[in-house]
Amino acid sequence: GILLENIVIAETYLAFRKIAPERYYVSQLATRLPSGESAEADLIVADQETDEAYLFEVKYASNRTEEQTRHLRNPNLVRYVNENFGQVKGRAVLYNGPDEKGEEIPYLNAGNFLEDVYSMQRRGEWSFGQWFAEDAERQRDEEEPRKCR
C-alpha cells in the first residue's frame, strides 16, 4: 500500500511542478485539527491561484469499504483545508479497482489517475473535470481550457 501511495504522490508532484511550479501545492497532509483530533489525506492538490483544493486517499485494495473514506468525510478536516489551502472542490479514493464516479466521494483507478496526470503534464494544462462532476460542469462553461505557462 505504501509503495502505491508514494508513487502517486511523487508522480503527481513532479507533473504539477512541470505544469506550473508556483501555482500548485502538492503534498501529503497530516495534522492535528483545532478539535484535537488527528486527520490526514494521502494527497492534497491545491491550486493557489483559484484557492481550490482536492483531497485523495490512496489504497492498494481493489475493493471498496466505508473505512477508506473516513478522513475524506471528516467535516473538521474539510473545514481545515478550506481555511488553510483553498475551498475543497473534490475528494476521491485512488485504488486498484474500476472507476466508480457516481458518488459523493468517487473511487478512481490509480493507474487511470496517473495516466490523466501525465496527459495534463504533456498538454501543459490542468483539468479535474474528468474526476469530479462539478469541475466538469464548470469547465464546459468556460470558453477554453485553463493553460499554465
Side-chain angles (χ1 to χ4, degrees):
I2 191 72
L3 184 58
L4 178 61
E5 186 177 315
N6 288 338
I7 290 168
V8 167
I9 293 165
E11 294 300 320
T12 304
Y13 174 83
L14 291 171
F16 277 88
R17 294 291 299 167
K18 290 179 181 175
I19 293 172
E22 301 301 319
R23 181 173 180 170
Y24 297 101
Y25 175 80
V26 178
S27 184
Q28 278 186 305
L29 176 63
T31 188
R32 183 158 305 281
L33 300 171
S35 63
E37 65 186 309
S38 294
E40 66 179 52
D42 292 331
L43 175 64
I44 179 173
V45 178
D47 184 332
Q48 297 177 87
E49 279 186 18
T50 62
D51 287 326
E52 296 176 348
Y54 297 83
L55 301 174
F56 301 90
E57 280 292 320
V58 181
K59 302 297 179 192
Y60 184 72
S62 58
N63 59 329
R64 300 169 38 184
T65 67
E66 184 75 22
E67 178 68 15
Q68 294 165 333
T69 62
R70 73 181 171 96
H71 290 294
L72 298 176
R73 291 184 186 282
N74 182 338
N76 295 325
L77 175 62
V78 172
R79 187 176 313 110
Y80 175 84
V81 172
N82 286 341
E83 293 170 359
N84 293 284
F85 296 96
Q87 185 70 31
V88 173
K89 291 295 191 176
R91 301 167 288 166
V93 175
L94 305 177
Y95 78 133
N96 283 313
D99 289 341
E100 298 283 344
K101 297 180 183 177
E103 300 187 23
E104 176 189 359
I105 298 178
Y107 280 72
L108 307 173
N109 178 273
N112 293 344
F113 174 86
L114 287 174
E115 287 178 15
D116 289 343
V117 168
Y118 297 144
S119 178
M120 285 188 283
Q121 176 186 327
R122 283 190 305 276
R123 290 189 324 263
E125 63 187 43
W126 65 274
S127 168
F128 293 118
Q130 69 270 27
W131 302 324
F132 304 104
E134 180 180 315
D135 232 37
E137 291 170 16
R138 185 181 64 218
Q139 185 178 5
R140 279 193 300 272
D141 292 340
E142 294 176 352
E143 293 185 75
E144 61 183 63
R146 298 179 189 182
K147 294 230 183 223
C148 302
R149 303 198 196 295

